Amino acid sequence: MNPEVYKESQIDVDEGLSTIEKTVLTDYKYGFVSKFDADEAPKGLSEDIVRFISARKNEPEWMLEWRLKAYKQWCRMADDEPTWANLKYPPINYQNIIYYSAPKQKMNPKSLDEIDPELRRTFEKLGISMNEQKRLTGVAVDAVIDSISIGTSFKEQLGELGIIFCSMSEAIQEHPELIKKYLSSVVPTTDNYFAALNAAVFSDGSFCYIPKGVRCPMELSTYFRINAENTGQFERTLIVADEGSYVSYLEGCTAPMRDENQLHAAVVELIAMDNAEIKYSTVQNWYPGDKNGVGGIYNFVTKRGICQGVNSKISWTQVETGSAITWKYPSVILKGDNSTGEFYSVAVTNNHQQADTGTKMHHLGKNTKSRIVSKGISAGFSNNSYRGLVHVGKKASNARNFSQCDSLLLGDKCGAHTFPYIEVRNKTALVEHEATTSKIGEDQIFYCNQRGIDTETAVALIVNGFAKEVMNQLPMEFAVEAQKLLAISLEGSVG
Amino acid sequence: MLNIRNLQAGIEGRKILKGINLEIKAGEVHAIMGPNGSGKSTLASTLAGKKSYEVLGGSVDFLGKDLLELSPEARAAEGLFLAFQYPIEIPGLSTTNFIKTAVNEVRKYHGKDPLDAVGFLRMMKEKMALMNIEQSLLSRPLNEGFSGGEKKRNEIFQMAMLEPKLAILDETDSGLDIDAIRIVSNGVNKLRNKDNAVLVVTHYQRLLDYIVPDFVHVLYNGRIVKSGTKELALELEERGYDFIKNEVNVEEGV
Amino acid sequence: MNSVEHYKEHFDQLQSTDKNGLTAIRKNAFDAFNKFGIPTSRHEEWKYTRIGGLFNKQYQFPVSTGSLSANDINDLRLPGHEQANELVFINGIFSFPLSKIISPELIVQSLEEAASNEFKEIVAANLGHSSDYLKDGINALNTAFVNGAVFVHVSKGKVTEHPIYIYNITDARTENIFSQPRSLVHVGQNAQVQLIETYVTIGASESFTNAVMEIVVEENALLEYYKIQNDASHTNQVSTTHIRQVGKSYVHAVTISLNGGIVRNNLNIVLDAERCEAHLYGLYFQKGKSHIDNHTVVDNVKPNCFSNELYKGVMNDEASGVFNGKIFVRQLAQKTNAYQSNKNVLLSDNATVNAKPQLEIFADDVKCSHGCTVGQLDEEALFYLQSRGIAGKVAHSLLVRAFATDILEHVKPAPIRAYIETLIAERLEY
């Protein structure tokens, strides 16, 4: 590899932040930029960059081949960048993005004490501390900054149960047989434009394997943060729950405030074997852009799980308040007989945000069940779309689906859209879909006012009530944070 | 406590209250009675500050403050409570959470620290015992799927929690059977003391058998046309509103 | 027939023989057709209905009504025709001799004529309005070949006592026919009218009908519109009805589809005035290999409108059904109430249903909802009937009829309703 293509840069904490941004910083409390040395690739994407990333990570040859194949596929898909979603944004210049940025530090810290103090302060601001205090709450954390996994806590304790929870880079080195077997088995590299891009350039992510019969005793969690300028973040998560196991996984994301749009194109793959259950919860709070729609993250994410085994279950819960653009459809392939898929979603859009999100439930096995609860809240000038597919295959006898999609509009400059697709090929299926659109009633606000509650708090209460069925699915610590986020996201939207 | 002078108000450009004068002192119970469309609910909503009601003239002094200048939530924080004729449903919001938010918002208004979970629960248990209300009702989403009686009991429970200076009961008896009226009235009576006051707005006399008023006013066509003691309510019950209408119409030469 | 050249020759010929003002609108439409082409399943609106294959066949492109006589079509008439006005299209060309007007308040002219007489402003303002909603080559293709089209005017303030029956007849006795009926109906202020439209093919050759009807409904007018489709399995059609309510008015539309090859219906209702009301009902009960696709649009442009939509489908054998219902609420259209419901029953292992109910809301003070279900007949209800001694097959038929009744009760003209009930009873062999 060519040593010239690699450069070091120092990111200054205040650089590029205008006064206005600083004043609105209060709106988005995660909008700080951390100051630490980063190890970056030059801008742009080419075969060399793919090789560069693979080399930086000391990947084996098979992994490089896998990436190069994906890269070539992506090049061939140039005309396939999705245009069907209800989203408007200028063309993305893929040559103006830095595809690799790693905080420059020892790649494998022996203990958490070795982590860059600035990085540790970043985590503290994010509310993640990798110390004893956090240990008491029983959440094992993997943190990914820009594209690199920084450290995983609780490893030993999990190891005793045979649970593997580590960064994807480490998994490629330490557990190649598992990675070879499962990587891209649910989301093929050719699945879609962004999935192909991710496969070519993903730099890290989390890997988790729960062995047969093990019930993971704590929540596993990954925090993602985009920090460096002009960087894209392309992480990849793979979770395998072997027969009879259970795991609950949490994912949180934040990013600094920047004028330009940053690209996030992640892939998440879940595999549940016989009688296994995976619960995957996301609180997505990428920077949404400012009040005028300047800046913000473009969030193009492919999340898919397969209920491979009988009686298995995959449940997605998401609270989406961030990103300028959200394109995301966490899906479940219900292959095993008697398997269950669930999707619970709250998506809030304000100002100029746009979200096109929903799910796909593919019923293939017999007696498969799925449930979809989607709550969309639109405010400001935003557009919020639910797009969902329920497909019942010819062999999926006695499939059952129930979908409920509700939209709440705050103001008359925003839009709420519902695009459900229902495809039924088996007469024994029962599929039910319901959707409603409404606004917050004046009388509801007045009732709260009359009890001494101001309008802003009243809106937060009403919106949280509207979203409750989904919030109830979140683990406790997450639910509290998510409720606050909803309130913050909608501040000033009703006046 | 409350001093209403020549209050005129309306909705959608229609004048409904045409000059109300009323004074309520601490410790008193007043009843406002009147036929449908006389302006009873308009008076209650205007005092509470509902946006769609427009004040067209007059003044309202509440505990030394210009009530009409205050936002609805400030009126509530100052101690004005309206028990709604039709309590509003908020799906997904638990009644407990709603009341806790209200209690703490009012405390914040007065510069007090919010009650923590323990303090709030203690207060709630105490009032639940006083009001004979069960936990299950308070765990349910606010007013959603409540029966008429449950809604009204919930209103009075909120009144107990917020400890207002002046409670306005807007047609609290509507849609209730006699047992429910007795339960609700008992609640109100337990909350009465020398420092607070109650304004009962009702069409029928029957509620006044349980919440006995010191003064009764008859509202007709946007004005208080007759005031008296509780005997006036009995007279209305016996003779109907027509005799009042006739008296007024004769006076006004209609 | 997929190639543009195929149409170019016909198009040039048509344009050169035209003596009135429709050349410009045809030209625009032909350009649009060239641009959009025949929709493929990559087109979102045609995701579940493939019509490309129909264009691979050789068709005759008729320019005259041909040789059918009144006797030839007697058997095709709908019940109650004695008391009805009858408008007859043969192979997409309106036939004055075969048509019958008995209501004096009805003015029926060729569209070409209306485009240049006292109705020319109405024609100019409304002909082709559907192209704002149907941005595909199929709709453009009809407009590009507007020829032998009809203009119907219901005079202001008149209640048309006798319904209007519209027959779209294809004469496929000797060769495959591609026909494109076109009509513009103008319902004047305070007028009331019932329109009943049906499609029939004579002969065993294949037919492909691409029909467009545009209806304008003025202030305080009332329109009842019925479409009945029960043609043979070698007949295919794309049938577009575009209703625009330009004044406070009432529309009641019912679509009954019982048979056909590939059938695509587009029903658009544009609520372009305050306080309009629209009711849409549909029943699709398909057998064999037929494919039925109902696309509906309810576009709320102005405030305070109300719409209610109920479509029910029963799919038997290898039939496939599509329902796509869109509700748009524009930013100005506050206080809209719009409801939609779609219910489907699958009777056989090889039947399929694809549904896409869709809401697009840009105003906040609205009440909108949709619901969609797919399932089979209620097992418990079947058992209940059987336990009362009703044989399984009969119980089954009773339940299907009960399912259809919700729609049939909205067919108001008694002879038409009786006719449809008979067709359904025959289908159920009971």
Side-chain angles (χ1 to χ4, degrees):
Chain A
M1 86 148 239
N2 182 354
E4 275 88 18
V5 294
Y6 150 75
K7 72 164 180 149
E8 288 176 18
S9 69
Q10 176 132 49
I11 303 156
D12 190 81
V13 73
D14 272 349
E15 199 181 60
L17 279 185
S18 69
T19 326
I20 297 166
E21 278 183 304
K22 281 176 206 156
T23 51
V24 295
L25 214 75
T26 46
D27 289 357
Y28 184 74
K29 71 170 178 163
Y30 305 100
F32 56 86
V33 180
S34 303
K35 179 177 178 174
F36 43 71
D37 288 348
D39 166 9
E40 282 187 354
K43 271 185 188 173
L45 184 52
S46 63
E47 197 172 310
D48 279 348
I49 291 290
V50 176
R51 288 178 184 279
F52 168 84
I53 295 168
S54 189
R56 290 301 296 160
K57 306 179 70 62
N58 294 319
E59 285 177 355
E61 189 61 24
W62 59 266
M63 196 64 214
L64 174 64
E65 291 305 318
W66 185 86
R67 283 177 182 277
L68 288 173
K69 200 174 147 204
Y71 173 71
K72 282 172 192 146
Q73 282 158 342
W74 181 74
C75 291
R76 280 198 296 275
M77 292 167 96
D79 295 333
D80 296 342
E81 191 172 341
T83 52
W84 42 260
N86 190 22
L87 301 169
K88 290 191 184 74
Y89 56 94
I92 298 167
N93 181 354
Y94 291 92
Q95 296 307 331
N96 197 32
I97 294 170
I98 296 168
Y99 287 87
Y100 183 81
S101 170
K104 198 179 135 203
Q105 65 147 63
K106 282 163 78 179
M107 289 307 287
N108 289 306
K110 292 272 180 320
S111 81
L112 296 169
D113 300 334
E114 282 182 31
I115 289 175
D116 184 338
E118 181 65 34
L119 237 152
R120 297 182 57 163
R121 275 196 289 278
T122 301
F123 287 143
E124 272 151 30
K125 282 188 212 167
L126 292 172
I128 319 158
S129 63
M130 296 186 159
N131 55 26
E132 286 304 322
Q133 194 190 348
K134 195 71 187 179
R135 239 163 243 218
L136 294 174
T137 67
V139 180
V141 180
D142 184 19
V144 176
I145 291 221
D146 291 337
S147 306
I148 296 298
S149 173
I150 297 306
T152 311
S153 59
F154 275 99
K155 216 166 180 172
E156 283 163 25
Q157 215 173 313
L158 294 169
E160 283 166 19
L161 293 163
I163 296 172
I164 303 169
F165 181 41
C166 63
S167 71
M168 190 60 94
S169 319
E170 194 179 330
I172 290 167
Q173 306 292 343
E174 306 291 328
H175 308 283
E177 69 299 339
L178 288 173
I179 299 298
K180 278 185 192 167
K181 185 168 175 191
Y182 293 115
L183 190 69
S184 70
S185 69
V186 190
V187 180
T189 54
T190 48
D191 188 78
N192 66 71
Y193 189 76
F194 297 109
L197 177 65
N198 174 285
V201 303
F202 87 90
S203 21
D204 216 334
S206 300
F207 172 70
C208 173
Y209 174 81
I210 316 290
K212 278 184 192 173
V214 173
R215 202 180 157 83
C216 185
M218 62 187 80
E219 313 276 354
L220 301 185
S221 171
T222 304
Y223 266 83
F224 295 103
R225 177 158 176 88
I226 297 177
N227 198 57
E229 245 174 311
N230 297 322
T231 9
Q233 175 149 321
F234 307 93
E235 81 276 358
R236 202 166 174 110
T237 300
L238 174 61
I239 300 174
V240 182
D242 215 329
E243 288 172 26
S245 68
Y246 167 84
V247 63
S248 168
Y249 194 90
L250 317 177
E251 175 194 73
C253 356
T254 61
M257 305 172 51
R258 302 206 184 267
D259 283 343
E260 79 277 13
N261 300 102
Q262 285 174 286
L263 179 62
H264 174 248
V267 171
V268 177
E269 297 176 281
L270 311 181
I271 297 150
M273 307 303 226
D274 288 358
N275 303 304
E277 179 176 350
I278 302 174
K279 194 171 157 60
Y280 195 104
S281 312
T282 303
V283 173
Q284 187 263 107
N285 186 29
W286 295 118
Y287 177 53
D290 69 9
K291 288 195 163 50
N292 301 314
V294 176
I297 302 292
Y298 286 174
N299 193 32
F300 298 97
V301 175
T302 307
K303 291 185 166 178
R304 192 174 303 150
I306 182 164
C307 284
Q308 183 75 44
V310 297
N311 304 318
S312 55
K313 180 175 176 185
I314 290 178
S315 177
W316 297 100
T317 303
Q318 60 173 25
V319 176
E320 304 274 315
T321 61
S323 298
I325 304 274
T326 300
W327 179 98
K328 178 179 173 187
Y329 316 92
S331 308
V332 184
I333 300 167
L334 296 150
K335 190 173 170 203
D337 290 349
N338 311 318
S339 59
T340 304
E342 293 178 336
F343 175 74
Y344 295 95
S345 170
V346 176
V348 181
T349 54
N350 196 359
N351 299 318
H352 292 267
Q353 281 177 272
Q354 301 175 64
D356 193 299
T357 184
T359 185
K360 295 181 196 171
M361 294 290 173
H362 293 274
H363 291 259
L364 304 178
K366 294 184 175 58
N367 307 314
T368 48
K369 288 188 204 65
S370 65
R371 181 179 172 81
I372 298 170
V373 179
S374 164
K375 305 277 179 175
I377 299 144
S378 329
F381 296 87
S382 69
N383 272 299
N384 200 330
S385 303
Y386 166 80
R387 187 180 303 277
L389 168 70
V390 175
H391 178 92
V392 178
K394 210 160 166 45
K395 292 176 181 160
S397 305
N398 300 312
R400 294 287 178 268
N401 162 268
F402 179 73
S403 306
Q404 176 76 47
C405 302
D406 297 323
S407 304
L408 192 64
L409 288 129
L410 302 157
D412 63 358
K413 304 281 188 291
C414 50
H417 315 267
T418 315
F419 305 99
Y421 296 73
I422 296 156
E423 302 176 349
V424 182
R425 308 267 174 280
N426 185 300
K427 70 168 181 178
T428 60
L430 181 60
V431 176
E432 290 175 86
H433 170 95
E434 285 173 18
T436 65
T437 300
S438 57
K439 69 169 203 164
I440 291 183
E442 296 273 335
D443 49 355
Q444 289 177 319
I445 291 179
F446 176 63
Y447 190 61
C448 293
N449 287 160
Q450 213 302 307
R451 298 298 182 256
I453 300 167
D454 65 34
T455 300
E456 197 127 284
T457 311
V459 169
L461 285 177
I462 296 165
V463 167
N464 272 307
F466 173 75
K468 185 158 193 184
E469 209 180 334
V470 176
M471 297 302 219
N472 281 346
Q473 298 296 324
L474 288 172
M476 198 50 143
E477 312 89 63
F478 249 37
V480 175
E481 189 187 340
Q483 279 198 13
K484 285 184 196 150
L485 263 180
L486 282 196
I488 292 167
S489 308
L490 290 169
E491 261 171 25
S493 59
V494 171
Chain B
M1 175 182 285
L2 182 78
N3 199 345
I4 306 175
R5 287 175 201 279
N6 192 29
L7 179 65
Q8 299 155 59
I11 185 164
E12 289 168 358
R14 205 155 38 89
K15 192 166 179 176
I16 295 169
L17 301 181
K18 297 169 182 166
I20 302 280
N21 292 290
L22 179 64
E23 189 176 357
I24 299 177
K25 296 196 176 74
E28 294 177 350
V29 175
H30 288 243
I32 291 208
M33 301 184 67
N36 290 333
S38 58
K40 299 189 301 289
S41 284
T42 301
L43 177 62
S45 296
T46 304
L47 291 175
K50 194 166 180 181
K51 207 160 76 179
S52 43
Y53 290 87
E54 197 187 348
V55 174
L56 302 165
S59 67
V60 180
D61 178 285
F62 180 55
L63 297 164
K65 294 207 161 103
D66 180 354
L67 186 77
L68 302 177
E69 284 300 305
L70 300 175
S71 67
E73 58 268 32
R75 295 180 199 200
E78 290 289 347
L80 186 141
F81 180 91
L82 173 64
F84 282 55
Q85 182 179 1
Y86 304 107
I88 307 298
E89 300 180 359
I90 302 185
L93 173 62
S94 81
T95 306
T96 305
N97 188 6
F98 172 70
I99 297 176
K100 184 174 179 219
T101 308
V103 167
N104 282 333
E105 287 284 304
V106 170
R107 289 178 69 91
K108 192 162 88 186
Y109 180 89
H110 293 291
K112 293 186 206 163
D113 288 335
L115 285 179
D116 59 14
V118 178
F120 177 77
L121 275 178
R122 189 181 301 134
M123 177 180 180
M124 204 168 80
K125 294 274 182 230
E126 192 183 298
K127 304 287 184 184
M128 278 165 63
L130 184 70
M131 295 284 106
N132 262 325
I133 209 148
E134 58 279 22
Q135 178 66 47
S136 59
L137 192 74
L138 302 176
S139 307
R140 283 160 58 187
L142 186 60
N143 292 321
E144 199 185 31
F146 282 29
S147 69
E150 287 172 333
K151 281 184 180 172
K152 297 299 169 78
R153 280 166 62 208
N154 184 18
E155 291 293 285
I156 304 306
F157 180 69
Q158 291 174 33
M159 175 177 157
M161 292 294 289
L162 289 165
E163 300 174 334
K165 295 285 193 307
L166 173 67
I168 303 170
L169 312 182
D170 186 7
E171 307 267 2
T172 293
D173 53 333
S174 71
L176 297 191
D177 62 29
I178 205 73
D179 289 335
I181 289 181
R182 193 179 295 127
I183 293 168
V184 166
S185 308
N186 282 344
V188 174
N189 287 331
K190 282 182 195 166
L191 298 172
R192 284 176 58 179
N193 62 41
K194 65 178 175 27
D195 297 319
N196 63 22
V198 180
L199 177 61
V200 183
V201 175
T202 183
H203 184 91
Y204 300 105
Q205 187 271 339
R206 57 180 189 173
L207 180 64
L208 304 179
D209 286 342
Y210 300 96
I211 305 173
V212 182
D214 301 304
F215 302 97
V216 174
H217 312 276
V218 181
L219 189 64
Y220 177 63
N221 205 7
R223 287 196 183 86
I224 290 176
V225 292
K226 203 174 174 84
S227 294
T229 56
K230 62 182 179 191
E231 282 71 29
L232 177 58
L234 294 170
E235 191 181 354
L236 281 172
E237 179 74 6
E238 203 173 305
R239 299 176 60 185
Y241 283 107
D242 283 347
F243 92 93
I244 295 279
K245 290 182 191 171
N246 292 337
E247 272 179 28
V248 173
N249 292 345
V250 167
E251 274 172 35
E252 290 187 352
V254 176
Chain C
M1 199 165 129
N2 273 318
S3 66
V4 170
E5 290 72 37
H6 183 89
Y7 298 96
K8 186 79 172 79
E9 195 185 322
H10 291 290
F11 180 71
D12 289 342
Q13 196 185 350
L14 178 60
Q15 288 290 69
S16 65
T17 56
D18 190 7
K19 10 179 215 314
N20 45 55
L22 296 176
T23 46
I25 189 171
R26 282 198 206 107
K27 171 78 172 64
N28 284 340
F30 195 68
D31 291 345
F33 170 65
N34 282 339
K35 184 175 152 201
F36 297 123
I38 306 299
T40 68
S41 59
R42 281 175 73 100
H43 191 301
E44 180 63 26
E45 298 306 323
W46 293 87
K47 188 177 164 71
Y48 298 114
T49 298
R50 289 158 197 261
I51 56 166
L54 298 177
F55 283 86
N56 292 332
K57 294 168 179 146
Q58 289 302 316
Y59 295 92
Q60 201 38 243
F61 227 108
V63 289
S64 71
T65 56
S67 60
L68 286 175
S69 70
N71 276 339
D72 293 330
I73 64 168
N74 259 347
D75 292 348
L76 313 175
R77 295 179 195 275
L78 290 170
H81 65 90
E82 301 84 356
Q83 292 300 312
N85 298 284
E86 293 184 286
L87 307 184
V88 179
F89 283 90
I90 306 289
N91 295 345
I93 308 293
F94 188 71
S95 166
F96 281 94
L98 294 176
S99 298
K100 172 186 81 177
I101 310 298
I102 56 173
S103 299
E105 60 274 13
L106 280 186
I107 296 170
V108 178
Q109 304 179 340
S110 85
L111 186 62
E112 289 83 347
E113 191 185 338
S116 51
N117 65 19
E118 75 260 37
F119 296 113
K120 69 180 178 198
E121 275 156 26
I122 292 171
V123 174
N126 298 297
L127 187 67
H129 192 270
S130 57
S131 63
D132 291 353
Y133 289 79
L134 301 163
K135 294 189 185 303
D136 60 44
I138 277 286
N139 190 60
L141 185 62
N142 180 295
T143 308
F145 288 90
V146 174
N147 179 32
V150 71
F151 174 75
V152 178
H153 174 76
V154 185
S155 304
K156 212 155 109 173
K158 302 288 184 184
V159 176
T160 307
E161 196 187 329
H162 305 288
I164 305 174
Y165 287 9
I166 302 176
Y167 301 97
N168 294 288
I169 297 168
T170 305
D171 178 5
R173 287 175 299 182
T174 52
E175 51 201 342
N176 295 346
I177 300 290
F178 183 82
S179 65
Q180 302 206 88
R182 178 76 176 219
S183 43
L184 176 62
V185 179
H186 182 246
V187 186
Q189 285 175 24
N190 298 301
Q192 297 186 13
V193 69
Q194 287 179 326
L195 279 181
I196 294 123
E197 202 189 0
T198 190
Y199 295 81
V200 194
T201 298
I202 306 174
S205 298
E206 295 208 20
S207 75
F208 182 9
T209 305
N210 177 30
V212 177
M213 175 184 281
E214 293 174 316
I215 307 176
V216 188
V217 187
E218 299 276 2
E219 183 83 9
N220 283 323
L222 188 153
L223 167 73
E224 279 179 42
Y225 170 81
Y226 302 92
K227 183 189 294 188
I228 300 158
Q229 294 164 318
N230 189 35
D231 212 349
S233 56
H234 61 280
T235 69
N236 305 293
Q237 60 171 291
V238 177
S239 166
T240 297
T241 308
H242 184 79
I243 300 173
R244 190 159 155 242
Q245 297 181 251
V246 298
K248 172 183 170 286
S249 55
Y250 187 101
V251 167
H252 175 97
V254 185
T255 304
I256 307 282
S257 312
L258 300 175
N259 201 10
I262 294 174
V263 177
R264 160 67 171 253
N265 291 320
N266 296 310
L267 174 63
N268 303 338
I269 297 195
V270 184
L271 301 154
D272 206 357
E274 284 201 46
R275 298 183 194 283
C276 285
E277 188 170 336
H279 297 260
L280 297 76
Y281 301 96
L283 174 69
Y284 42 108
F285 184 4
Q286 301 287 316
K287 62 173 185 178
K289 291 186 174 179
S290 66
H291 175 86
I292 171 75
D293 178 349
N294 274 304
H295 265 60
T296 67
V297 172
V298 174
D299 188 9
N300 292 274
V301 181
K302 298 280 165 61
N304 288 303
C305 291
F306 175 90
S307 66
N308 187 34
E309 177 172 6
L310 175 62
Y311 268 67
K312 297 183 101 173
V314 182
M315 295 292 118
N316 205 352
D317 304 334
E318 290 169 57
S320 50
V322 179
F323 173 78
N324 178 309
K326 297 189 191 68
I327 295 175
F328 294 112
V329 180
R330 310 279 172 187
Q331 198 177 336
L332 274 180
Q334 294 291 359
K335 311 263 179 210
T336 289
N337 282 348
Y339 306 100
Q340 182 194 83
S341 176
N342 172 228
K343 295 177 189 218
N344 300 282
V345 169
L346 294 178
L347 296 180
S348 113
D349 292 336
N350 295 310
T352 63
V353 161
N354 293 306
K356 190 186 173 199
Q358 192 175 327
L359 296 174
E360 295 214 45
I361 317 285
F362 295 93
D364 59 339
D365 192 5
V366 300
K367 289 198 187 98
C368 296
S369 68
H370 68 214
C372 177
T373 59
V374 183
Q376 54 185 344
L377 289 176
D378 186 345
E379 296 279 355
E380 293 210 11
L382 270 176
F383 176 70
Y384 184 71
L385 294 184
Q386 283 171 294
S387 75
R388 293 296 176 267
I390 300 169
K393 195 165 161 45
V394 178
H396 193 270
S397 296
L398 281 175
L399 288 180
V400 173
R401 278 178 68 151
F403 181 80
T405 298
D406 280 355
I407 303 299
L408 296 183
E409 69 187 18
H410 296 288
V411 177
K412 294 178 188 174
I416 297 295
R417 182 167 159 184
Y419 167 68
I420 296 167
E421 281 175 347
T422 311
L423 291 177
I424 289 175
E426 280 168 10
R427 174 75 54 87
L428 292 167
E429 296 167 16
Y430 166 69

